[in-house]
Amino acid sequence: HRIIRVPTSAQTNLITFANSGTTGSAGTYVAGDIKYIRVTNLDDTNYVTLQLIDASADTAYFKLAAGQTMVFYNTSLDTNTNAAVVASFSTIDTMQAQADTAAVDLEVFVASSQS
């Protein structure tokens, strides 16, 4: 559980995912051990853009309005621009955020089976 100040000037790394093994730094989790991730925008006015990025730089963007919460139950991602059926999922490598108009605080809670 962390509260992270997210500026408008640059993307801020919220979570990094490892494919296996142990993790050695705060905010890094083994992707297969994730039970759920909850991100809450604690601001009462401004939105934030969440970016989910995989190893090949495929990126999904989500708008998280003031006071809203998003929950993710796994770390799988697939993106395409041609409305094709999902070909295969890849693992998210990072979750980043960038505030729109003014800096916001995000509450990030990760439930993981890591010990």
Side-chain angles (χ1 to χ4, degrees):
H1 176 254
R2 299 188 303 162
I3 295 179
I4 302 168
R5 186 79 167 163
V6 177
T8 60
S9 59
Q11 296 174 351
T12 299
N13 194 47
L14 303 178
I15 302 170
T16 301
F17 299 99
N19 288 326
S20 62
T22 59
T23 58
S25 61
T28 301
Y29 299 90
V30 174
D33 292 344
I34 298 297
K35 300 301 179 192
Y36 71 90
I37 301 162
R38 184 186 72 224
V39 181
T40 302
N41 182 349
L42 300 176
D43 201 84
D44 61 359
T45 306
N46 301 293
Y47 76 85
V48 66
T49 301
L50 293 180
Q51 299 125 7
L52 308 179
I53 306 163
D54 72 8
S56 26
D58 293 328
T59 305
Y61 295 94
F62 297 92
K63 180 179 181 180
L64 187 59
Q68 287 187 335
T69 297
M70 290 191 99
V71 178
F72 301 91
Y73 291 99
N74 60 58
T75 58
S76 297
L77 172 69
D78 185 43
T79 62
N80 63 55
T81 58
N82 61 5
V85 175
V86 173
S88 64
F89 288 98
S90 58
T91 300
I92 298 167
D93 289 323
T94 60
M95 179 182 286
Q96 299 179 346
Q98 186 168 1
D100 177 56
T101 307
V104 302
D105 289 333
L106 289 184
E107 179 183 46
V108 179
F109 182 89
V110 179
S112 170
S113 61
Q114 287 178 237
S115 54

